[in-house]
Amino acid sequence: RRGRPMRSEDIKTKSKISAISVIIVSALTDDESVNEIMNLGATDFINKPIIIPQLIEKIESVLENRK
């Protein structure tokens, strides 16, 4: 889409790309923000700063759930 970045809710509503998993990385860690992010269609959420083993675990989990 031109003019603005694609958002996770855009991904989840477009049939051609709805199967794409979205892992959001954010410094917003309060329950309300995390719930909003997940409700917008994110597959998972990671807090900043990124911890590489945690990121790998989340990616592996998403890939395993797609099987």
Short mmCIF file of all heavy atoms in Angstrom, two decimals:
data_model
loop_
_atom_site.label_atom_id
_atom_site.label_comp_id
_atom_site.label_asym_id
_atom_site.label_seq_id
_atom_site.Cartn_x
_atom_site.Cartn_y
_atom_site.Cartn_z
N ARG A 1 0.84 -1.17 0.00
CA ARG A 1 0.00 0.00 0.00
C ARG A 1 0.89 1.23 0.00
O ARG A 1 1.82 1.34 0.78
CB ARG A 1 -0.85 -0.04 1.27
CG ARG A 1 -2.07 0.79 1.18
CD ARG A 1 -2.76 0.78 2.51
NE ARG A 1 -3.85 -0.15 2.49
CZ ARG A 1 -4.83 -0.12 3.37
NH1 ARG A 1 -4.81 0.75 4.33
NH2 ARG A 1 -5.80 -0.97 3.30
N ARG A 2 0.59 2.17 -0.83
CA ARG A 2 1.41 3.38 -0.90
C ARG A 2 0.92 4.40 0.10
O ARG A 2 -0.25 4.47 0.42
CB ARG A 2 1.35 3.98 -2.29
CG ARG A 2 1.99 3.10 -3.32
CD ARG A 2 1.85 3.73 -4.69
NE ARG A 2 2.30 2.77 -5.66
CZ ARG A 2 3.25 3.01 -6.53
NH1 ARG A 2 3.84 4.17 -6.57
NH2 ARG A 2 3.60 2.09 -7.39
N GLY A 3 1.85 5.20 0.62
CA GLY A 3 1.47 6.30 1.49
C GLY A 3 1.66 6.03 2.97
O GLY A 3 1.80 6.94 3.75
N ARG A 4 1.63 4.78 3.37
CA ARG A 4 1.87 4.45 4.78
C ARG A 4 2.37 3.01 4.86
O ARG A 4 2.06 2.20 4.00
CB ARG A 4 0.63 4.64 5.62
CG ARG A 4 -0.50 3.67 5.35
CD ARG A 4 -1.61 3.83 6.40
NE ARG A 4 -2.73 2.98 6.13
CZ ARG A 4 -2.80 1.68 6.40
NH1 ARG A 4 -1.78 1.06 6.94
NH2 ARG A 4 -3.87 0.98 6.12
N PRO A 5 3.10 2.71 5.92
CA PRO A 5 3.57 1.33 6.07
C PRO A 5 2.41 0.37 6.29
O PRO A 5 1.36 0.75 6.81
CB PRO A 5 4.45 1.38 7.33
CG PRO A 5 4.62 2.81 7.67
CD PRO A 5 3.54 3.59 6.97
N MET A 6 2.60 -0.87 5.89
CA MET A 6 1.58 -1.89 6.14
C MET A 6 1.58 -2.22 7.62
O MET A 6 2.62 -2.33 8.25
CB MET A 6 1.88 -3.14 5.32
CG MET A 6 0.82 -4.20 5.47
SD MET A 6 0.99 -5.51 4.27
CE MET A 6 0.20 -4.75 2.88
N ARG A 7 0.40 -2.33 8.19
CA ARG A 7 0.24 -2.67 9.60
C ARG A 7 -0.15 -4.12 9.73
O ARG A 7 -0.62 -4.73 8.78
CB ARG A 7 -0.82 -1.77 10.23
CG ARG A 7 -0.47 -0.28 10.12
CD ARG A 7 -1.61 0.58 10.55
NE ARG A 7 -2.77 0.27 9.70
CZ ARG A 7 -3.95 0.84 9.83
NH1 ARG A 7 -4.15 1.72 10.77
NH2 ARG A 7 -4.94 0.51 9.03
N SER A 8 0.01 -4.68 10.93
CA SER A 8 -0.32 -6.09 11.11
C SER A 8 -1.79 -6.36 10.82
O SER A 8 -2.13 -7.40 10.26
CB SER A 8 0.06 -6.58 12.50
OG SER A 8 -0.66 -5.90 13.49
N GLU A 9 -2.67 -5.43 11.13
CA GLU A 9 -4.09 -5.67 10.84
C GLU A 9 -4.34 -5.68 9.34
O GLU A 9 -5.26 -6.35 8.86
CB GLU A 9 -5.02 -4.70 11.56
CG GLU A 9 -4.89 -3.26 11.13
CD GLU A 9 -3.99 -2.44 12.03
OE1 GLU A 9 -3.06 -2.99 12.60
OE2 GLU A 9 -4.23 -1.24 12.16
N ASP A 10 -3.51 -4.95 8.58
CA ASP A 10 -3.62 -5.00 7.12
C ASP A 10 -3.26 -6.39 6.62
O ASP A 10 -3.92 -6.94 5.73
CB ASP A 10 -2.67 -4.00 6.46
CG ASP A 10 -3.01 -2.55 6.77
OD1 ASP A 10 -4.20 -2.25 7.01
OD2 ASP A 10 -2.10 -1.71 6.75
N ILE A 11 -2.23 -6.96 7.19
CA ILE A 11 -1.78 -8.28 6.78
C ILE A 11 -2.85 -9.32 7.06
O ILE A 11 -3.14 -10.18 6.24
CB ILE A 11 -0.46 -8.65 7.49
CG1 ILE A 11 0.67 -7.75 6.96
CG2 ILE A 11 -0.11 -10.13 7.29
CD1 ILE A 11 1.97 -7.86 7.73
N LYS A 12 -3.47 -9.24 8.22
CA LYS A 12 -4.45 -10.25 8.61
C LYS A 12 -5.76 -10.15 7.84
O LYS A 12 -6.53 -11.09 7.81
CB LYS A 12 -4.73 -10.17 10.12
CG LYS A 12 -3.51 -10.49 10.96
CD LYS A 12 -3.00 -11.88 10.68
CE LYS A 12 -1.76 -12.20 11.48
NZ LYS A 12 -1.18 -13.47 11.15
N THR A 13 -6.02 -9.02 7.18
CA THR A 13 -7.28 -8.87 6.46
C THR A 13 -7.14 -9.05 4.95
O THR A 13 -8.13 -9.09 4.25
CB THR A 13 -7.92 -7.50 6.73
OG1 THR A 13 -7.02 -6.47 6.32
CG2 THR A 13 -8.26 -7.33 8.20
N LYS A 14 -5.94 -9.17 4.45
CA LYS A 14 -5.71 -9.37 3.01
C LYS A 14 -5.56 -10.87 2.76
O LYS A 14 -4.64 -11.50 3.27
CB LYS A 14 -4.45 -8.65 2.54
CG LYS A 14 -4.41 -7.18 2.87
CD LYS A 14 -5.31 -6.40 1.98
CE LYS A 14 -5.15 -4.91 2.27
NZ LYS A 14 -6.25 -4.13 1.88
N SER A 15 -6.46 -11.45 1.99
CA SER A 15 -6.47 -12.90 1.83
C SER A 15 -5.19 -13.46 1.25
O SER A 15 -4.75 -14.54 1.64
CB SER A 15 -7.66 -13.33 0.97
OG SER A 15 -7.55 -12.78 -0.33
N LYS A 16 -4.54 -12.75 0.36
CA LYS A 16 -3.32 -13.26 -0.27
C LYS A 16 -2.15 -13.34 0.70
O LYS A 16 -1.22 -14.10 0.50
CB LYS A 16 -2.92 -12.40 -1.47
CG LYS A 16 -3.86 -12.52 -2.63
CD LYS A 16 -3.38 -11.71 -3.80
CE LYS A 16 -4.33 -11.85 -4.97
NZ LYS A 16 -3.88 -11.09 -6.13
N ILE A 17 -2.16 -12.53 1.73
CA ILE A 17 -1.03 -12.50 2.66
C ILE A 17 -1.45 -12.77 4.11
O ILE A 17 -0.65 -12.62 5.02
CB ILE A 17 -0.26 -11.16 2.57
CG1 ILE A 17 -1.18 -9.98 2.86
CG2 ILE A 17 0.42 -11.03 1.24
CD1 ILE A 17 -0.47 -8.64 2.91
N SER A 18 -2.66 -13.22 4.32
CA SER A 18 -3.16 -13.41 5.68
C SER A 18 -2.43 -14.51 6.45
O SER A 18 -2.49 -14.54 7.67
CB SER A 18 -4.66 -13.68 5.68
OG SER A 18 -4.93 -14.89 5.02
N ALA A 19 -1.72 -15.38 5.75
CA ALA A 19 -1.00 -16.46 6.43
C ALA A 19 0.37 -16.00 6.94
O ALA A 19 1.06 -16.77 7.61
CB ALA A 19 -0.82 -17.64 5.49
N ILE A 20 0.75 -14.77 6.67
CA ILE A 20 2.04 -14.26 7.14
C ILE A 20 1.99 -14.05 8.64
O ILE A 20 1.07 -13.43 9.17
CB ILE A 20 2.40 -12.92 6.44
CG1 ILE A 20 2.62 -13.16 4.95
CG2 ILE A 20 3.63 -12.29 7.07
CD1 ILE A 20 2.82 -11.89 4.16
N SER A 21 2.99 -14.59 9.33
CA SER A 21 3.09 -14.40 10.78
C SER A 21 3.81 -13.09 11.07
O SER A 21 4.78 -12.75 10.41
CB SER A 21 3.85 -15.57 11.40
OG SER A 21 3.16 -16.77 11.18
N VAL A 22 3.32 -12.37 12.08
CA VAL A 22 3.89 -11.08 12.45
C VAL A 22 4.30 -11.13 13.91
O VAL A 22 3.47 -11.35 14.78
CB VAL A 22 2.86 -9.94 12.24
CG1 VAL A 22 3.44 -8.61 12.66
CG2 VAL A 22 2.39 -9.90 10.80
N ILE A 23 5.60 -10.95 14.15
CA ILE A 23 6.11 -10.85 15.52
C ILE A 23 6.48 -9.38 15.73
O ILE A 23 7.34 -8.85 15.04
CB ILE A 23 7.33 -11.75 15.74
CG1 ILE A 23 6.96 -13.22 15.51
CG2 ILE A 23 7.89 -11.54 17.15
CD1 ILE A 23 8.12 -14.18 15.57
N ILE A 24 5.82 -8.73 16.66
CA ILE A 24 6.06 -7.32 16.95
C ILE A 24 7.14 -7.18 18.01
O ILE A 24 7.11 -7.87 19.02
CB ILE A 24 4.76 -6.64 17.45
CG1 ILE A 24 3.64 -6.76 16.41
CG2 ILE A 24 5.01 -5.19 17.85
CD1 ILE A 24 3.89 -6.04 15.11
N VAL A 25 8.08 -6.28 17.76
CA VAL A 25 9.12 -5.95 18.73
C VAL A 25 8.86 -4.52 19.17
O VAL A 25 8.79 -3.61 18.35
CB VAL A 25 10.53 -6.07 18.10
CG1 VAL A 25 11.59 -5.68 19.11
CG2 VAL A 25 10.77 -7.47 17.57
N SER A 26 8.68 -4.33 20.50
CA SER A 26 8.30 -3.01 20.98
C SER A 26 8.81 -2.78 22.40
O SER A 26 8.98 -3.72 23.17
CB SER A 26 6.78 -2.87 20.97
OG SER A 26 6.39 -1.62 21.49
N ALA A 27 9.02 -1.52 22.71
CA ALA A 27 9.36 -1.13 24.08
C ALA A 27 8.10 -0.94 24.92
O ALA A 27 8.19 -0.78 26.14
CB ALA A 27 10.19 0.15 24.08
N LEU A 28 6.94 -0.96 24.29
CA LEU A 28 5.67 -0.84 25.02
C LEU A 28 5.36 -2.19 25.65
O LEU A 28 5.08 -3.16 24.95
CB LEU A 28 4.54 -0.44 24.08
CG LEU A 28 4.70 0.90 23.36
CD1 LEU A 28 3.59 1.09 22.34
CD2 LEU A 28 4.72 2.03 24.36
N THR A 29 5.42 -2.25 26.97
CA THR A 29 5.26 -3.55 27.63
C THR A 29 4.08 -3.60 28.60
O THR A 29 3.86 -4.64 29.22
CB THR A 29 6.55 -3.93 28.40
OG1 THR A 29 6.82 -2.91 29.36
CG2 THR A 29 7.73 -4.07 27.46
N ASP A 30 3.35 -2.51 28.72
CA ASP A 30 2.19 -2.54 29.63
C ASP A 30 1.11 -3.44 29.02
O ASP A 30 1.05 -3.64 27.81
CB ASP A 30 1.66 -1.13 29.87
CG ASP A 30 1.20 -0.45 28.60
OD1 ASP A 30 2.07 0.05 27.85
OD2 ASP A 30 -0.02 -0.45 28.34
N ASP A 31 0.30 -4.03 29.88
CA ASP A 31 -0.71 -4.99 29.44
C ASP A 31 -1.63 -4.43 28.36
O ASP A 31 -1.97 -5.13 27.40
CB ASP A 31 -1.55 -5.47 30.63
CG ASP A 31 -0.78 -6.38 31.56
OD1 ASP A 31 0.28 -6.91 31.16
OD2 ASP A 31 -1.23 -6.56 32.71
N GLU A 32 -2.05 -3.20 28.51
CA GLU A 32 -2.96 -2.60 27.54
C GLU A 32 -2.34 -2.53 26.15
O GLU A 32 -2.97 -2.88 25.15
CB GLU A 32 -3.37 -1.19 28.00
CG GLU A 32 -4.39 -0.54 27.10
CD GLU A 32 -4.83 0.83 27.61
OE1 GLU A 32 -4.72 1.09 28.82
OE2 GLU A 32 -5.30 1.61 26.78
N SER A 33 -1.08 -2.10 26.08
CA SER A 33 -0.40 -2.00 24.79
C SER A 33 -0.20 -3.36 24.16
O SER A 33 -0.44 -3.55 22.96
CB SER A 33 0.96 -1.31 24.95
OG SER A 33 0.79 0.02 25.36
N VAL A 34 0.24 -4.33 24.95
CA VAL A 34 0.46 -5.68 24.44
C VAL A 34 -0.86 -6.29 23.95
O VAL A 34 -0.91 -6.87 22.85
CB VAL A 34 1.14 -6.58 25.49
CG1 VAL A 34 1.21 -8.03 25.00
CG2 VAL A 34 2.52 -6.07 25.85
N ASN A 35 -1.92 -6.12 24.70
CA ASN A 35 -3.23 -6.63 24.28
C ASN A 35 -3.68 -5.98 22.98
O ASN A 35 -4.22 -6.65 22.09
CB ASN A 35 -4.28 -6.41 25.37
CG ASN A 35 -4.10 -7.35 26.54
OD1 ASN A 35 -3.54 -8.44 26.40
ND2 ASN A 35 -4.57 -6.94 27.70
N GLU A 36 -3.48 -4.67 22.85
CA GLU A 36 -3.87 -3.97 21.63
C GLU A 36 -3.08 -4.50 20.44
O GLU A 36 -3.64 -4.76 19.37
CB GLU A 36 -3.65 -2.47 21.77
CG GLU A 36 -4.08 -1.70 20.55
CD GLU A 36 -3.91 -0.19 20.69
OE1 GLU A 36 -3.56 0.28 21.78
OE2 GLU A 36 -4.14 0.50 19.69
N ILE A 37 -1.78 -4.67 20.63
CA ILE A 37 -0.93 -5.19 19.56
C ILE A 37 -1.40 -6.58 19.13
O ILE A 37 -1.54 -6.86 17.93
CB ILE A 37 0.55 -5.23 20.02
CG1 ILE A 37 1.09 -3.80 20.10
CG2 ILE A 37 1.40 -6.09 19.10
CD1 ILE A 37 2.41 -3.67 20.84
N MET A 38 -1.68 -7.44 20.09
CA MET A 38 -2.12 -8.79 19.76
C MET A 38 -3.50 -8.77 19.10
O MET A 38 -3.75 -9.52 18.16
CB MET A 38 -2.13 -9.67 21.00
CG MET A 38 -0.75 -9.88 21.62
SD MET A 38 0.48 -10.55 20.48
CE MET A 38 -0.16 -12.21 20.27
N ASN A 39 -4.38 -7.89 19.55
CA ASN A 39 -5.72 -7.79 18.97
C ASN A 39 -5.69 -7.25 17.54
O ASN A 39 -6.63 -7.47 16.77
CB ASN A 39 -6.64 -6.92 19.83
CG ASN A 39 -7.04 -7.61 21.10
OD1 ASN A 39 -7.08 -8.84 21.18
ND2 ASN A 39 -7.34 -6.83 22.13
N LEU A 40 -4.64 -6.53 17.18
CA LEU A 40 -4.51 -6.01 15.83
C LEU A 40 -4.00 -7.08 14.85
O LEU A 40 -3.89 -6.82 13.66
CB LEU A 40 -3.57 -4.80 15.80
CG LEU A 40 -4.13 -3.54 16.45
CD1 LEU A 40 -3.08 -2.44 16.51
CD2 LEU A 40 -5.37 -3.05 15.71
N GLY A 41 -3.70 -8.26 15.37
CA GLY A 41 -3.34 -9.35 14.46
C GLY A 41 -1.93 -9.86 14.58
O GLY A 41 -1.52 -10.71 13.79
N ALA A 42 -1.16 -9.37 15.53
CA ALA A 42 0.20 -9.88 15.70
C ALA A 42 0.15 -11.35 16.11
O ALA A 42 -0.74 -11.78 16.83
CB ALA A 42 0.95 -9.08 16.75
N THR A 43 1.12 -12.11 15.63
CA THR A 43 1.22 -13.51 15.99
C THR A 43 1.86 -13.66 17.37
O THR A 43 1.48 -14.52 18.16
CB THR A 43 2.08 -14.26 14.96
OG1 THR A 43 1.53 -14.03 13.67
CG2 THR A 43 2.15 -15.75 15.24
N ASP A 44 2.83 -12.79 17.65
CA ASP A 44 3.52 -12.84 18.94
C ASP A 44 4.13 -11.47 19.22
O ASP A 44 4.09 -10.58 18.38
CB ASP A 44 4.59 -13.92 18.95
CG ASP A 44 4.79 -14.54 20.33
OD1 ASP A 44 4.55 -13.85 21.34
OD2 ASP A 44 5.19 -15.70 20.40
N PHE A 45 4.72 -11.33 20.39
CA PHE A 45 5.24 -10.05 20.85
C PHE A 45 6.55 -10.28 21.59
O PHE A 45 6.66 -11.23 22.36
CB PHE A 45 4.21 -9.42 21.82
CG PHE A 45 4.65 -8.12 22.40
CD1 PHE A 45 4.43 -6.94 21.72
CD2 PHE A 45 5.30 -8.07 23.63
CE1 PHE A 45 4.82 -5.73 22.25
CE2 PHE A 45 5.71 -6.86 24.16
CZ PHE A 45 5.46 -5.69 23.47
N ILE A 46 7.53 -9.42 21.33
CA ILE A 46 8.82 -9.47 22.03
C ILE A 46 9.12 -8.08 22.56
O ILE A 46 8.98 -7.08 21.85
CB ILE A 46 9.94 -9.91 21.08
CG1 ILE A 46 9.69 -11.33 20.57
CG2 ILE A 46 11.30 -9.83 21.78
CD1 ILE A 46 10.68 -11.80 19.55
N ASN A 47 9.55 -8.03 23.82
CA ASN A 47 9.94 -6.76 24.43
C ASN A 47 11.33 -6.35 23.97
O ASN A 47 12.18 -7.19 23.74
CB ASN A 47 9.99 -6.89 25.96
CG ASN A 47 8.66 -7.22 26.56
OD1 ASN A 47 7.62 -6.96 25.98
ND2 ASN A 47 8.68 -7.81 27.73
N LYS A 48 11.54 -5.04 23.87
CA LYS A 48 12.89 -4.52 23.67
C LYS A 48 13.55 -4.41 25.03
O LYS A 48 12.86 -4.16 26.01
CB LYS A 48 12.83 -3.13 23.03
CG LYS A 48 12.51 -3.15 21.57
CD LYS A 48 12.60 -1.73 21.04
CE LYS A 48 12.29 -1.70 19.56
NZ LYS A 48 12.38 -0.34 19.03
N PRO A 49 14.83 -4.55 25.15
CA PRO A 49 15.77 -4.90 24.09
C PRO A 49 15.60 -6.37 23.70
O PRO A 49 15.20 -7.20 24.52
CB PRO A 49 17.13 -4.66 24.72
CG PRO A 49 16.92 -4.85 26.19
CD PRO A 49 15.50 -4.40 26.45
N ILE A 50 15.92 -6.65 22.45
CA ILE A 50 15.78 -8.00 21.94
C ILE A 50 16.84 -8.90 22.56
O ILE A 50 18.01 -8.56 22.59
CB ILE A 50 15.92 -8.02 20.41
CG1 ILE A 50 14.82 -7.18 19.77
CG2 ILE A 50 15.90 -9.43 19.87
CD1 ILE A 50 14.99 -6.96 18.30
N ILE A 51 16.39 -10.04 23.04
CA ILE A 51 17.28 -11.08 23.54
C ILE A 51 17.26 -12.18 22.47
O ILE A 51 16.22 -12.79 22.23
CB ILE A 51 16.82 -11.61 24.91
CG1 ILE A 51 16.80 -10.45 25.91
CG2 ILE A 51 17.69 -12.76 25.38
CD1 ILE A 51 16.11 -10.76 27.21
N ILE A 52 18.40 -12.38 21.83
CA ILE A 52 18.46 -13.26 20.67
C ILE A 52 17.90 -14.66 20.93
O ILE A 52 17.10 -15.14 20.12
CB ILE A 52 19.91 -13.32 20.10
CG1 ILE A 52 20.35 -11.93 19.62
CG2 ILE A 52 20.02 -14.34 18.97
CD1 ILE A 52 19.47 -11.31 18.54
N PRO A 53 18.25 -15.33 22.03
CA PRO A 53 17.66 -16.66 22.25
C PRO A 53 16.13 -16.61 22.34
O PRO A 53 15.45 -17.53 21.86
CB PRO A 53 18.28 -17.12 23.57
CG PRO A 53 19.57 -16.39 23.65
CD PRO A 53 19.29 -15.05 23.03
N GLN A 54 15.59 -15.55 22.92
CA GLN A 54 14.13 -15.40 23.00
C GLN A 54 13.54 -15.21 21.60
O GLN A 54 12.51 -15.80 21.27
CB GLN A 54 13.76 -14.22 23.89
CG GLN A 54 12.27 -14.00 24.01
CD GLN A 54 11.91 -12.72 24.74
OE1 GLN A 54 12.64 -11.73 24.67
NE2 GLN A 54 10.80 -12.75 25.43
N LEU A 55 14.20 -14.40 20.78
CA LEU A 55 13.74 -14.18 19.41
C LEU A 55 13.73 -15.49 18.63
O LEU A 55 12.74 -15.82 17.96
CB LEU A 55 14.62 -13.15 18.72
CG LEU A 55 14.33 -12.89 17.24
CD1 LEU A 55 12.92 -12.36 17.04
CD2 LEU A 55 15.36 -11.93 16.67
N ILE A 56 14.80 -16.25 18.75
CA ILE A 56 14.88 -17.54 18.05
C ILE A 56 13.78 -18.47 18.52
O ILE A 56 13.12 -19.14 17.71
CB ILE A 56 16.28 -18.16 18.24
CG1 ILE A 56 17.32 -17.31 17.50
CG2 ILE A 56 16.30 -19.61 17.77
CD1 ILE A 56 18.75 -17.67 17.82
N GLU A 57 13.53 -18.50 19.83
CA GLU A 57 12.47 -19.34 20.38
C GLU A 57 11.10 -18.95 19.81
O GLU A 57 10.30 -19.81 19.45
CB GLU A 57 12.47 -19.22 21.90
CG GLU A 57 11.46 -20.09 22.58
CD GLU A 57 11.51 -19.92 24.09
OE1 GLU A 57 12.61 -20.04 24.67
OE2 GLU A 57 10.46 -19.64 24.68
N LYS A 58 10.83 -17.66 19.74
CA LYS A 58 9.54 -17.18 19.21
C LYS A 58 9.40 -17.56 17.74
O LYS A 58 8.33 -18.02 17.32
CB LYS A 58 9.42 -15.66 19.35
CG LYS A 58 9.43 -15.16 20.77
CD LYS A 58 8.09 -15.24 21.41
CE LYS A 58 8.12 -14.54 22.76
NZ LYS A 58 6.82 -14.52 23.39
N ILE A 59 10.46 -17.38 16.96
CA ILE A 59 10.41 -17.71 15.53
C ILE A 59 10.19 -19.21 15.36
O ILE A 59 9.35 -19.63 14.55
CB ILE A 59 11.69 -17.25 14.82
CG1 ILE A 59 11.74 -15.71 14.79
CG2 ILE A 59 11.75 -17.83 13.40
CD1 ILE A 59 13.06 -15.14 14.34
N GLU A 60 10.93 -20.02 16.11
CA GLU A 60 10.75 -21.47 16.01
C GLU A 60 9.33 -21.88 16.39
O GLU A 60 8.74 -22.75 15.75
CB GLU A 60 11.77 -22.19 16.90
CG GLU A 60 13.18 -22.13 16.36
CD GLU A 60 14.22 -22.71 17.28
OE1 GLU A 60 13.92 -22.92 18.50
OE2 GLU A 60 15.34 -22.97 16.81
N SER A 61 8.77 -21.24 17.40
CA SER A 61 7.40 -21.54 17.82
C SER A 61 6.40 -21.21 16.73
O SER A 61 5.49 -21.99 16.44
CB SER A 61 7.07 -20.77 19.10
OG SER A 61 5.74 -20.97 19.47
N VAL A 62 6.57 -20.06 16.11
CA VAL A 62 5.67 -19.65 15.03
C VAL A 62 5.78 -20.63 13.87
O VAL A 62 4.76 -21.08 13.31
CB VAL A 62 5.98 -18.21 14.56
CG1 VAL A 62 5.29 -17.90 13.24
CG2 VAL A 62 5.57 -17.20 15.61
N LEU A 63 6.99 -21.00 13.51
CA LEU A 63 7.18 -21.93 12.40
C LEU A 63 6.60 -23.31 12.73
O LEU A 63 5.99 -23.95 11.87
CB LEU A 63 8.67 -22.05 12.05
CG LEU A 63 9.29 -20.79 11.46
CD1 LEU A 63 10.79 -20.98 11.28
CD2 LEU A 63 8.63 -20.42 10.13
N GLU A 64 6.76 -23.76 13.95
CA GLU A 64 6.21 -25.05 14.37
C GLU A 64 4.68 -25.04 14.32
O GLU A 64 4.06 -26.02 13.89
CB GLU A 64 6.69 -25.41 15.78
CG GLU A 64 6.26 -26.76 16.25
CD GLU A 64 6.82 -27.92 15.44
OE1 GLU A 64 7.95 -27.82 14.93
OE2 GLU A 64 6.10 -28.93 15.31
N ASN A 65 4.08 -23.95 14.73
CA ASN A 65 2.62 -23.85 14.73
C ASN A 65 2.03 -23.77 13.33
O ASN A 65 0.84 -24.02 13.15
CB ASN A 65 2.15 -22.65 15.55
CG ASN A 65 2.36 -22.87 17.02
OD1 ASN A 65 2.35 -23.99 17.51
ND2 ASN A 65 2.58 -21.79 17.76
N ARG A 66 2.84 -23.44 12.35
CA ARG A 66 2.36 -23.35 10.97
C ARG A 66 2.25 -24.71 10.30
O ARG A 66 1.60 -24.86 9.28
CB ARG A 66 3.28 -22.46 10.14
CG ARG A 66 3.23 -21.00 10.60
CD ARG A 66 4.13 -20.17 9.79
NE ARG A 66 3.47 -19.91 8.52
CZ ARG A 66 4.05 -19.32 7.49
NH1 ARG A 66 5.29 -18.91 7.58
NH2 ARG A 66 3.40 -19.11 6.38
N LYS A 67 2.89 -25.72 10.88
CA LYS A 67 2.88 -27.06 10.28
C LYS A 67 1.54 -27.72 10.41
O LYS A 67 0.77 -27.53 11.25
CB LYS A 67 3.96 -27.93 10.95
CG LYS A 67 5.34 -27.46 10.60
CD LYS A 67 6.36 -28.36 11.24
CE LYS A 67 7.78 -27.87 10.91
NZ LYS A 67 8.78 -28.69 11.54
#
